[in-house]
Amino acid sequence: MVECNKTKNMANCNCSYEPCSRKGVCCECIVYHRRMGELPACYFPDNIEKTYDRSIEKFIQINSK
Ligand code: SF4
């Protein structure tokens, strides 16, 4: 069984949503946001991430300049 790299993953997590229990548990994080039609926080720069707009539309908008 593979151990979760939660502590290691946290080094790459820019999510500012404090109450979330999925922080550092990337497999749960991506499943959750995929279900919502979104992407996880780490796909967005900090200034966009903190708006909590994790939509695919936002991702395309900020990457199509
Ligand atoms: S990106 Fe979403 S699921 Fe992942 S840690 Fe942040 S709030 Fe939780």
Side-chain angles (χ1 to χ4, degrees):
M1 181 138 178
V2 177
E3 289 293 314
C4 182
N5 289 323
K6 186 172 181 177
T7 306
K8 206 168 153 187
N9 292 343
M10 284 304 294
N12 297 312
C13 180
N14 68 338
C15 183
S16 62
Y17 188 64
E18 287 306 328
C20 187
S21 60
R22 298 178 192 91
K23 282 190 181 195
V25 188
C26 303
C27 53
E28 291 184 12
C29 179
I30 198 157
V31 166
Y32 173 79
H33 283 289
R34 182 175 173 168
R35 205 176 282 147
M36 304 284 279
E38 300 173 344
L39 292 164
C42 55
Y43 277 76
F44 301 92
D46 292 350
N47 62 323
I48 304 295
E49 184 285 324
K50 68 184 177 190
T51 69
Y52 301 141
D53 183 350
R54 310 208 191 298
S55 64
I56 292 169
E57 290 79 7
K58 190 64 170 182
F59 178 80
I60 292 169
Q61 182 197 331
I62 64 173
N63 286 287
S64 58
K65 292 174 189 165

PDB file of all heavy atoms in Angstrom, residues 40-62:
ATOM      1  N   PRO A  40      -8.110  22.172  -9.112  1.00  0.00           N
ATOM      2  CA  PRO A  40      -7.608  22.498  -7.767  1.00  0.00           C
ATOM      3  C   PRO A  40      -6.868  23.837  -7.719  1.00  0.00           C
ATOM      4  O   PRO A  40      -6.437  24.365  -8.754  1.00  0.00           O
ATOM      5  CB  PRO A  40      -6.632  21.348  -7.476  1.00  0.00           C
ATOM      6  CG  PRO A  40      -7.025  20.256  -8.395  1.00  0.00           C
ATOM      7  CD  PRO A  40      -7.538  20.928  -9.641  1.00  0.00           C
ATOM      8  N   ALA A  41      -6.710  24.329  -6.533  1.00  0.00           N
ATOM      9  CA  ALA A  41      -6.059  25.628  -6.298  1.00  0.00           C
ATOM     10  C   ALA A  41      -4.708  25.764  -6.984  1.00  0.00           C
ATOM     11  O   ALA A  41      -4.361  26.835  -7.500  1.00  0.00           O
ATOM     12  CB  ALA A  41      -5.882  25.840  -4.791  1.00  0.00           C
ATOM     13  N   CYS A  42      -3.937  24.694  -7.003  1.00  0.00           N
ATOM     14  CA  CYS A  42      -2.558  24.772  -7.503  1.00  0.00           C
ATOM     15  C   CYS A  42      -2.473  25.033  -9.007  1.00  0.00           C
ATOM     16  O   CYS A  42      -1.384  25.252  -9.536  1.00  0.00           O
ATOM     17  CB  CYS A  42      -1.774  23.518  -7.122  1.00  0.00           C
ATOM     18  SG  CYS A  42      -2.548  21.980  -7.657  1.00  0.00           S
ATOM     19  N   TYR A  43      -3.601  25.032  -9.703  1.00  0.00           N
ATOM     20  CA  TYR A  43      -3.611  25.393 -11.130  1.00  0.00           C
ATOM     21  C   TYR A  43      -3.659  26.904 -11.321  1.00  0.00           C
ATOM     22  O   TYR A  43      -3.573  27.382 -12.443  1.00  0.00           O
ATOM     23  CB  TYR A  43      -4.822  24.759 -11.830  1.00  0.00           C
ATOM     24  CG  TYR A  43      -4.586  23.322 -12.237  1.00  0.00           C
ATOM     25  CD1 TYR A  43      -4.607  22.303 -11.281  1.00  0.00           C
ATOM     26  CD2 TYR A  43      -4.337  22.981 -13.560  1.00  0.00           C
ATOM     27  CE1 TYR A  43      -4.394  20.986 -11.644  1.00  0.00           C
ATOM     28  CE2 TYR A  43      -4.115  21.675 -13.931  1.00  0.00           C
ATOM     29  CZ  TYR A  43      -4.138  20.676 -12.971  1.00  0.00           C
ATOM     30  OH  TYR A  43      -3.913  19.382 -13.333  1.00  0.00           O
ATOM     31  N   PHE A  44      -3.814  27.648 -10.223  1.00  0.00           N
ATOM     32  CA  PHE A  44      -4.003  29.095 -10.316  1.00  0.00           C
ATOM     33  C   PHE A  44      -2.924  29.845  -9.556  1.00  0.00           C
ATOM     34  O   PHE A  44      -2.474  29.396  -8.496  1.00  0.00           O
ATOM     35  CB  PHE A  44      -5.378  29.468  -9.743  1.00  0.00           C
ATOM     36  CG  PHE A  44      -6.524  28.794 -10.459  1.00  0.00           C
ATOM     37  CD1 PHE A  44      -7.026  27.578 -10.006  1.00  0.00           C
ATOM     38  CD2 PHE A  44      -7.079  29.359 -11.598  1.00  0.00           C
ATOM     39  CE1 PHE A  44      -8.063  26.939 -10.671  1.00  0.00           C
ATOM     40  CE2 PHE A  44      -8.113  28.724 -12.271  1.00  0.00           C
ATOM     41  CZ  PHE A  44      -8.606  27.513 -11.809  1.00  0.00           C
ATOM     42  N   PRO A  45      -2.545  31.019 -10.078  1.00  0.00           N
ATOM     43  CA  PRO A  45      -1.605  31.850  -9.317  1.00  0.00           C
ATOM     44  C   PRO A  45      -2.293  32.340  -8.035  1.00  0.00           C
ATOM     45  O   PRO A  45      -3.526  32.403  -7.968  1.00  0.00           O
ATOM     46  CB  PRO A  45      -1.300  33.016 -10.270  1.00  0.00           C
ATOM     47  CG  PRO A  45      -2.424  33.044 -11.246  1.00  0.00           C
ATOM     48  CD  PRO A  45      -2.956  31.631 -11.342  1.00  0.00           C
ATOM     49  N   ASP A  46      -1.508  32.711  -7.042  1.00  0.00           N
ATOM     50  CA  ASP A  46      -2.063  33.057  -5.728  1.00  0.00           C
ATOM     51  C   ASP A  46      -3.164  34.117  -5.773  1.00  0.00           C
ATOM     52  O   ASP A  46      -4.153  34.009  -5.057  1.00  0.00           O
ATOM     53  CB  ASP A  46      -0.940  33.535  -4.793  1.00  0.00           C
ATOM     54  CG  ASP A  46       0.017  32.401  -4.442  1.00  0.00           C
ATOM     55  OD1 ASP A  46      -0.280  31.226  -4.759  1.00  0.00           O
ATOM     56  OD2 ASP A  46       1.077  32.698  -3.853  1.00  0.00           O
ATOM     57  N   ASN A  47      -2.986  35.140  -6.613  1.00  0.00           N
ATOM     58  CA  ASN A  47      -3.985  36.219  -6.627  1.00  0.00           C
ATOM     59  C   ASN A  47      -5.341  35.755  -7.158  1.00  0.00           C
ATOM     60  O   ASN A  47      -6.390  36.265  -6.754  1.00  0.00           O
ATOM     61  CB  ASN A  47      -3.468  37.429  -7.425  1.00  0.00           C
ATOM     62  CG  ASN A  47      -3.211  37.111  -8.879  1.00  0.00           C
ATOM     63  OD1 ASN A  47      -2.758  36.017  -9.222  1.00  0.00           O
ATOM     64  ND2 ASN A  47      -3.480  38.061  -9.756  1.00  0.00           N
ATOM     65  N   ILE A  48      -5.346  34.781  -8.042  1.00  0.00           N
ATOM     66  CA  ILE A  48      -6.608  34.221  -8.548  1.00  0.00           C
ATOM     67  C   ILE A  48      -7.119  33.156  -7.587  1.00  0.00           C
ATOM     68  O   ILE A  48      -8.318  33.068  -7.304  1.00  0.00           O
ATOM     69  CB  ILE A  48      -6.414  33.595  -9.957  1.00  0.00           C
ATOM     70  CG1 ILE A  48      -5.829  34.614 -10.941  1.00  0.00           C
ATOM     71  CG2 ILE A  48      -7.732  33.003 -10.481  1.00  0.00           C
ATOM     72  CD1 ILE A  48      -6.720  35.798 -11.239  1.00  0.00           C
ATOM     73  N   GLU A  49      -6.217  32.350  -7.073  1.00  0.00           N
ATOM     74  CA  GLU A  49      -6.595  31.280  -6.141  1.00  0.00           C
ATOM     75  C   GLU A  49      -7.403  31.828  -4.983  1.00  0.00           C
ATOM     76  O   GLU A  49      -8.411  31.243  -4.589  1.00  0.00           O
ATOM     77  CB  GLU A  49      -5.325  30.576  -5.624  1.00  0.00           C
ATOM     78  CG  GLU A  49      -5.582  29.382  -4.726  1.00  0.00           C
ATOM     79  CD  GLU A  49      -6.036  29.748  -3.333  1.00  0.00           C
ATOM     80  OE1 GLU A  49      -5.559  30.763  -2.781  1.00  0.00           O
ATOM     81  OE2 GLU A  49      -6.900  29.035  -2.793  1.00  0.00           O
ATOM     82  N   LYS A  50      -6.991  32.979  -4.462  1.00  0.00           N
ATOM     83  CA  LYS A  50      -7.669  33.506  -3.268  1.00  0.00           C
ATOM     84  C   LYS A  50      -9.088  34.017  -3.545  1.00  0.00           C
ATOM     85  O   LYS A  50      -9.819  34.305  -2.620  1.00  0.00           O
ATOM     86  CB  LYS A  50      -6.816  34.561  -2.578  1.00  0.00           C
ATOM     87  CG  LYS A  50      -6.632  35.847  -3.315  1.00  0.00           C
ATOM     88  CD  LYS A  50      -5.685  36.749  -2.536  1.00  0.00           C
ATOM     89  CE  LYS A  50      -5.431  38.038  -3.297  1.00  0.00           C
ATOM     90  NZ  LYS A  50      -4.358  38.832  -2.722  1.00  0.00           N
ATOM     91  N   THR A  51      -9.482  34.094  -4.832  1.00  0.00           N
ATOM     92  CA  THR A  51     -10.870  34.460  -5.155  1.00  0.00           C
ATOM     93  C   THR A  51     -11.772  33.230  -5.091  1.00  0.00           C
ATOM     94  O   THR A  51     -12.999  33.346  -5.161  1.00  0.00           O
ATOM     95  CB  THR A  51     -10.980  35.052  -6.578  1.00  0.00           C
ATOM     96  OG1 THR A  51     -10.736  34.020  -7.547  1.00  0.00           O
ATOM     97  CG2 THR A  51     -10.019  36.207  -6.793  1.00  0.00           C
ATOM     98  N   TYR A  52     -11.158  32.049  -5.013  1.00  0.00           N
ATOM     99  CA  TYR A  52     -11.858  30.758  -4.986  1.00  0.00           C
ATOM    100  C   TYR A  52     -12.612  30.464  -6.283  1.00  0.00           C
ATOM    101  O   TYR A  52     -13.460  29.586  -6.311  1.00  0.00           O
ATOM    102  CB  TYR A  52     -12.806  30.634  -3.775  1.00  0.00           C
ATOM    103  CG  TYR A  52     -12.105  30.768  -2.447  1.00  0.00           C
ATOM    104  CD1 TYR A  52     -12.693  31.458  -1.400  1.00  0.00           C
ATOM    105  CD2 TYR A  52     -10.844  30.213  -2.236  1.00  0.00           C
ATOM    106  CE1 TYR A  52     -12.050  31.589  -0.173  1.00  0.00           C
ATOM    107  CE2 TYR A  52     -10.195  30.335  -1.021  1.00  0.00           C
ATOM    108  CZ  TYR A  52     -10.805  31.029   0.006  1.00  0.00           C
ATOM    109  OH  TYR A  52     -10.164  31.149   1.208  1.00  0.00           O
ATOM    110  N   ASP A  53     -12.302  31.222  -7.338  1.00  0.00           N
ATOM    111  CA  ASP A  53     -12.868  30.880  -8.647  1.00  0.00           C
ATOM    112  C   ASP A  53     -11.950  29.832  -9.257  1.00  0.00           C
ATOM    113  O   ASP A  53     -10.893  30.148  -9.790  1.00  0.00           O
ATOM    114  CB  ASP A  53     -12.954  32.117  -9.548  1.00  0.00           C
ATOM    115  CG  ASP A  53     -13.603  31.785 -10.899  1.00  0.00           C
ATOM    116  OD1 ASP A  53     -13.809  30.586 -11.197  1.00  0.00           O
ATOM    117  OD2 ASP A  53     -13.894  32.730 -11.653  1.00  0.00           O
ATOM    118  N   ARG A  54     -12.335  28.580  -9.137  1.00  0.00           N
ATOM    119  CA  ARG A  54     -11.502  27.482  -9.621  1.00  0.00           C
ATOM    120  C   ARG A  54     -12.095  26.878 -10.904  1.00  0.00           C
ATOM    121  O   ARG A  54     -11.837  25.737 -11.247  1.00  0.00           O
ATOM    122  CB  ARG A  54     -11.376  26.402  -8.545  1.00  0.00           C
ATOM    123  CG  ARG A  54     -10.978  26.944  -7.153  1.00  0.00           C
ATOM    124  CD  ARG A  54     -10.245  25.920  -6.374  1.00  0.00           C
ATOM    125  NE  ARG A  54     -10.036  26.216  -4.965  1.00  0.00           N
ATOM    126  CZ  ARG A  54      -9.352  27.219  -4.476  1.00  0.00           C
ATOM    127  NH1 ARG A  54      -8.839  28.114  -5.292  1.00  0.00           N
ATOM    128  NH2 ARG A  54      -9.190  27.377  -3.171  1.00  0.00           N
ATOM    129  N   SER A  55     -12.869  27.684 -11.610  1.00  0.00           N
ATOM    130  CA  SER A  55     -13.532  27.178 -12.815  1.00  0.00           C
ATOM    131  C   SER A  55     -12.537  26.956 -13.956  1.00  0.00           C
ATOM    132  O   SER A  55     -11.482  27.601 -14.038  1.00  0.00           O
ATOM    133  CB  SER A  55     -14.620  28.169 -13.270  1.00  0.00           C
ATOM    134  OG  SER A  55     -14.028  29.397 -13.653  1.00  0.00           O
ATOM    135  N   ILE A  56     -12.930  26.051 -14.837  1.00  0.00           N
ATOM    136  CA  ILE A  56     -12.120  25.784 -16.032  1.00  0.00           C
ATOM    137  C   ILE A  56     -12.108  27.034 -16.913  1.00  0.00           C
ATOM    138  O   ILE A  56     -11.083  27.368 -17.513  1.00  0.00           O
ATOM    139  CB  ILE A  56     -12.674  24.545 -16.773  1.00  0.00           C
ATOM    140  CG1 ILE A  56     -12.424  23.300 -15.906  1.00  0.00           C
ATOM    141  CG2 ILE A  56     -12.022  24.370 -18.148  1.00  0.00           C
ATOM    142  CD1 ILE A  56     -13.139  22.048 -16.360  1.00  0.00           C
ATOM    143  N   GLU A  57     -13.238  27.755 -16.947  1.00  0.00           N
ATOM    144  CA  GLU A  57     -13.308  28.994 -17.722  1.00  0.00           C
ATOM    145  C   GLU A  57     -12.251  29.994 -17.236  1.00  0.00           C
ATOM    146  O   GLU A  57     -11.584  30.638 -18.044  1.00  0.00           O
ATOM    147  CB  GLU A  57     -14.707  29.636 -17.600  1.00  0.00           C
ATOM    148  CG  GLU A  57     -15.807  28.866 -18.302  1.00  0.00           C
ATOM    149  CD  GLU A  57     -16.312  27.653 -17.506  1.00  0.00           C
ATOM    150  OE1 GLU A  57     -15.911  27.450 -16.334  1.00  0.00           O
ATOM    151  OE2 GLU A  57     -17.106  26.890 -18.087  1.00  0.00           O
ATOM    152  N   LYS A  58     -12.099  30.107 -15.931  1.00  0.00           N
ATOM    153  CA  LYS A  58     -11.104  31.035 -15.377  1.00  0.00           C
ATOM    154  C   LYS A  58      -9.694  30.586 -15.748  1.00  0.00           C
ATOM    155  O   LYS A  58      -8.836  31.409 -16.094  1.00  0.00           O
ATOM    156  CB  LYS A  58     -11.256  31.117 -13.844  1.00  0.00           C
ATOM    157  CG  LYS A  58     -10.442  32.213 -13.217  1.00  0.00           C
ATOM    158  CD  LYS A  58     -10.949  33.557 -13.724  1.00  0.00           C
ATOM    159  CE  LYS A  58     -10.375  34.708 -12.979  1.00  0.00           C
ATOM    160  NZ  LYS A  58     -10.929  35.990 -13.481  1.00  0.00           N
ATOM    161  N   PHE A  59      -9.465  29.297 -15.673  1.00  0.00           N
ATOM    162  CA  PHE A  59      -8.144  28.757 -16.027  1.00  0.00           C
ATOM    163  C   PHE A  59      -7.812  29.098 -17.479  1.00  0.00           C
ATOM    164  O   PHE A  59      -6.702  29.549 -17.786  1.00  0.00           O
ATOM    165  CB  PHE A  59      -8.122  27.242 -15.810  1.00  0.00           C
ATOM    166  CG  PHE A  59      -6.821  26.611 -16.200  1.00  0.00           C
ATOM    167  CD1 PHE A  59      -5.718  26.663 -15.355  1.00  0.00           C
ATOM    168  CD2 PHE A  59      -6.684  25.972 -17.419  1.00  0.00           C
ATOM    169  CE1 PHE A  59      -4.500  26.092 -15.721  1.00  0.00           C
ATOM    170  CE2 PHE A  59      -5.475  25.393 -17.797  1.00  0.00           C
ATOM    171  CZ  PHE A  59      -4.384  25.453 -16.945  1.00  0.00           C
ATOM    172  N   ILE A  60      -8.779  28.907 -18.377  1.00  0.00           N
ATOM    173  CA  ILE A  60      -8.559  29.222 -19.805  1.00  0.00           C
ATOM    174  C   ILE A  60      -8.328  30.718 -19.980  1.00  0.00           C
ATOM    175  O   ILE A  60      -7.424  31.135 -20.705  1.00  0.00           O
ATOM    176  CB  ILE A  60      -9.758  28.732 -20.655  1.00  0.00           C
ATOM    177  CG1 ILE A  60      -9.787  27.195 -20.645  1.00  0.00           C
ATOM    178  CG2 ILE A  60      -9.676  29.265 -22.090  1.00  0.00           C
ATOM    179  CD1 ILE A  60     -11.045  26.587 -21.223  1.00  0.00           C
ATOM    180  N   GLN A  61      -9.141  31.519 -19.287  1.00  0.00           N
ATOM    181  CA  GLN A  61      -9.020  32.975 -19.395  1.00  0.00           C
ATOM    182  C   GLN A  61      -7.620  33.461 -19.009  1.00  0.00           C
ATOM    183  O   GLN A  61      -7.026  34.264 -19.728  1.00  0.00           O
ATOM    184  CB  GLN A  61     -10.066  33.640 -18.489  1.00  0.00           C
ATOM    185  CG  GLN A  61     -10.072  35.147 -18.564  1.00  0.00           C
ATOM    186  CD  GLN A  61     -10.798  35.780 -17.370  1.00  0.00           C
ATOM    187  OE1 GLN A  61     -11.716  35.183 -16.795  1.00  0.00           O
ATOM    188  NE2 GLN A  61     -10.396  36.968 -17.003  1.00  0.00           N
ATOM    189  N   ILE A  62      -7.089  32.970 -17.918  1.00  0.00           N
ATOM    190  CA  ILE A  62      -5.785  33.476 -17.475  1.00  0.00           C
ATOM    191  C   ILE A  62      -4.614  32.868 -18.244  1.00  0.00           C
ATOM    192  O   ILE A  62      -3.494  33.345 -18.133  1.00  0.00           O
ATOM    193  CB  ILE A  62      -5.567  33.289 -15.944  1.00  0.00           C
ATOM    194  CG1 ILE A  62      -5.545  31.809 -15.567  1.00  0.00           C
ATOM    195  CG2 ILE A  62      -6.610  34.063 -15.165  1.00  0.00           C
ATOM    196  CD1 ILE A  62      -5.167  31.555 -14.121  1.00  0.00           C
TER     197      ILE A  62
END
